Amino acid sequence: MTAEAALSTPPADRQDAMPTPMPEVPLLQVRGLTRRYGARIGCADVGFDLWPGEVMGIVGESGSGKSTLLSCLAGHLTPDAGEVLWRGPDGTIRDVLAMAEPERRLLGRTDWAFVHQNPRDGLRMGVSAGGNVGERLMAVGARHYGRIRSTATDWLGRVEIDAARIDDAPRSFSGGMQQRLQIARNLVTHPRLVLMDEPTGGLDVSVQARLLDLLRGLVREMGLSAIVVTHDLAVVRLLAHRLMVMKDGRVVEAGLTDQVLDDPQHAYTQLLVSSVLQV
Amino acid sequence: METEMIAPTVKAAPIASAMDAPMIDLRDVAKSFVLHTQGSVAIEVMRGATLQVRASECVALTGASGAGKSTLMRMIWGNYRVGAGSIRVAGVELRDADPRSVLALRRDRLGHVSQFLRVVPRVPAREVVAEPLLALGTPRDEAIERSEALLARLNIPPALWHLSPTTFSGGEQQRVNIARGFVHPFPVLLLDEPTASLDGANRATVLALIAEAKARGAAILGIFHDTAAREQVCDREVDVSAFTP
């Protein structure tokens, strides 16, 4: 119960608090998730548990099913079979796939967030930076203009965007800034689960590092759980606690991130790890 | 009736013996690698590894290069799977342990000073060192304060504290790594060449940190090529060549 109480406190207030005692129920339980494209397998029989505060990486080559899996979880695609059991703030466990569309949309605006690889897919490019952040707050009922603006300013600061840029449209931002703005827009409502599709893809390495540092800090301070799809093994090593390796739509190996990378058991994981250029 | 009356005292005994139990306990550990990319050849690298490290004890792993010192350390840290046998660290069985319990173990009970620093570029040294404390929920100000105190003790100039250690010299990176491993009083510590690439004064500081950790009850297992350092801080040596198949 104390764990539940801690989870329902606004995360901003938890920054310097004691770590949340681990609740005995996972935040997310995925069972037998399957999606076919005609005869072809998108992803098949995928299952895992995600605990509060945990970051799980999903790696695999293009076509391995990792993006299909993420889309199924996010509700962008409808799976053919499976369950996605979500533990709500009140402790009740619901199958997200069985939810009615309005309820699902509400979840997508409140407790869940989705960070797209291309910021253009997650931002409104013609709306100001402050508007992009404020819009999500308004979607959950915020109405007081001054407060929305001050929260937006606060979040721009947290993702290291100069407050002087609050009225500029993101199309005038660099790729790295756009990605940070997308993260601010997603996290402003204090979601408990963030789904990320190649969040550092397409960015310069120096910008990637900055983004990784930012994400790690936010995960720790807000107690976020996240699922990160990427093909970059260096990113998962630094960001993910656990790792799932996918090939041809199936999970071939899963475990502690450094164990999967340093002592890979499956032939495909060994190939993947040994194919990375050493720097 | 009388036996029932004394039962509570009798029950207290297992607690006392649990405290005497080794903090690192390896029993008949074996390890092989199957290299699928190279014709699925299986290489057996370790067999029958048994050793114990108790609280307030420092044990050195010895043996020629390639004898399996690092393999053993990695299995205890958990980035290598336990092939066969049993490894218990602070009471947690690592063989087939779920990731969550290994992560919890690393967060509060098992510290590790590796030979090489692996950090997100651009994160300042003081944050890198404070991170284990922040992960435990230590208030930020206190975590940073403790981090800076340790960096100062290890002779990292304050001008470098706000810079990323990726730009530091080898010896400076090593000291940042050491600070990160000692900033929280882990009851179990793994040290991989903690004094390599350090000059005299810094080497003495690191040896003092190890002695202090032992004095507060830490169980330490390390690899020390520095013979003098090994003789100064280690209570005994275990030659891993004995575990070579």
Side-chain angles (χ1 to χ4, degrees), chain A residues 119 123 125 170-171 173-182:
Chain A
L123 290 174
M125 298 307 283
R171 67 163 66 95
F173 290 3
S174 69
M177 276 173 76
Q178 289 179 358
Q179 195 56 300
R180 282 180 275 131
L181 181 62
Q182 191 191 183

Side-chain angles (χ1 to χ4, degrees), chain B residues 73-149:
Chain B
M73 294 274 272
R74 287 176 187 150
M75 279 193 280
I76 300 168
W77 177 243
N79 60 326
Y80 277 10
R81 275 173 201 238
V82 182
S86 156
I87 297 184
R88 293 182 73 87
V89 178
V92 177
E93 173 58 68
L94 292 182
R95 190 177 176 191
D96 304 321
D98 66 294
R100 206 163 149 251
S101 40
V102 181
L103 290 167
L105 183 71
R106 290 179 184 177
R107 193 159 45 237
D108 54 15
R109 283 154 288 168
L110 177 61
H112 183 211
V113 175
S114 61
Q115 247 183 305
F116 304 101
L117 189 66
R118 197 175 238 150
V119 292
V120 178
R122 134 180 216 286
V123 178
R126 63 154 72 88
E127 298 270 342
V128 168
V129 174
E131 199 174 11
L133 294 176
L134 295 173
L136 280 163
T138 307
R140 187 170 180 83
D141 292 350
E142 185 194 331
I144 295 291
E145 201 175 300
R146 281 164 65 184
S147 152
E148 292 182 348

Side-chain angles (χ1 to χ4, degrees), chain A residues 114-130 132-133 155-156 159-162 165 168-187 198-204 207 210-211 214-215:
Chain A
F114 193 97
V115 175
H116 295 265
Q117 172 175 9
N118 189 338
R120 283 162 193 280
D121 298 331
L123 290 174
R124 296 226 283 150
M125 298 307 283
V127 173
S128 71
N132 265 283
V133 179
W155 267 92
L156 291 182
V159 298
E160 301 169 22
I161 293 173
D162 187 348
R165 303 295 300 270
D168 296 350
R171 67 163 66 95
S172 70
F173 290 3
S174 69
M177 276 173 76
Q178 289 179 358
Q179 195 56 300
R180 282 180 275 131
L181 181 62
Q182 191 191 183
I183 287 166
R185 174 179 161 101
N186 272 284
L187 298 190
E198 302 274 5
T200 60
L203 298 175
D204 288 343
V207 181
R210 191 172 185 189
L211 195 69
L214 176 75
L215 286 172

Side-chain angles (χ1 to χ4, degrees), chain A residues 11-15 151-163 180 183-184 187-188 190 210 213-215 217-224, chain B residues 122:
Chain A
D13 298 338
R14 269 197 283 142
Q15 273 197 26
T151 305
T153 311
D154 174 50
W155 267 92
L156 291 182
R158 289 174 79 164
V159 298
E160 301 169 22
I161 293 173
D162 187 348
R180 282 180 275 131
I183 287 166
L187 298 190
V188 68
H190 293 299
R210 191 172 185 189
D213 175 33
L214 176 75
L215 286 172
L218 291 172
V219 163
R220 190 180 58 218
E221 287 159 15
M222 300 177 67
L224 288 176
Chain B
R122 134 180 216 286

Side-chain angles (χ1 to χ4, degrees), chain B:
Chain B
M1 286 303 278
E2 273 175 13
T3 47
E4 273 189 48
M5 292 294 285
I6 60 161
T9 17
V10 173
K11 272 180 187 162
I15 298 169
S17 71
M19 283 174 78
D20 293 340
M23 293 300 282
I24 302 176
D25 192 359
L26 278 72
R27 309 272 167 172
D28 209 17
V29 172
K31 179 71 184 167
S32 331
F33 292 102
V34 179
L35 305 180
H36 292 290
T37 53
Q38 292 168 50
S40 294
V41 56
I43 302 168
E44 192 183 13
V45 295
M46 192 166 289
R47 190 191 291 167
T50 295
L51 75 91
Q52 284 81 37
V53 184
R54 293 172 189 280
S56 292
E57 198 182 22
C58 180
V59 175
L61 293 177
T62 62
S65 179
K69 300 186 290 294
S70 297
T71 300
L72 206 58
M73 294 274 272
R74 287 176 187 150
M75 279 193 280
I76 300 168
W77 177 243
N79 60 326
Y80 277 10
R81 275 173 201 238
V82 182
S86 156
I87 297 184
R88 293 182 73 87
V89 178
V92 177
E93 173 58 68
L94 292 182
R95 190 177 176 191
D96 304 321
D98 66 294
R100 206 163 149 251
S101 40
V102 181
L103 290 167
L105 183 71
R106 290 179 184 177
R107 193 159 45 237
D108 54 15
R109 283 154 288 168
L110 177 61
H112 183 211
V113 175
S114 61
Q115 247 183 305
F116 304 101
L117 189 66
R118 197 175 238 150
V119 292
V120 178
R122 134 180 216 286
V123 178
R126 63 154 72 88
E127 298 270 342
V128 168
V129 174
E131 199 174 11
L133 294 176
L134 295 173
L136 280 163
T138 307
R140 187 170 180 83
D141 292 350
E142 185 194 331
I144 295 291
E145 201 175 300
R146 281 164 65 184
S147 152
E148 292 182 348
L150 207 46
L151 286 169
R153 194 171 167 199
L154 285 157
N155 289 317
I156 303 287
L160 298 185
W161 296 352
H162 68 281
L163 300 178
S164 163
T166 47
T167 61
F168 292 6
S169 74
E172 286 164 347
Q173 289 197 0
Q174 175 71 347
R175 281 176 277 149
V176 169
N177 229 357
I178 287 162
R180 190 178 153 91
F182 281 87
V183 74
H184 168 67
F186 289 104
V188 185
L189 271 173
L190 303 176
L191 307 177
D192 192 353
E193 296 280 12
T195 56
S197 68
L198 295 187
D199 60 24
N202 288 316
R203 182 172 162 277
T205 306
V206 172
L207 294 179
L209 283 170
I210 296 173
E212 286 162 26
K214 273 172 70 177
R216 65 164 168 80
I220 304 171
L221 183 66
I223 301 173
F224 302 83
H225 281 135
D226 177 346
T227 321
R230 186 164 75 214
E231 282 167 1
Q232 193 180 324
V233 293
C234 296
D235 301 292
R236 59 194 170 86
E237 297 178 0
V238 172
D239 186 348
V240 299
S241 313
F243 312 140
T244 306

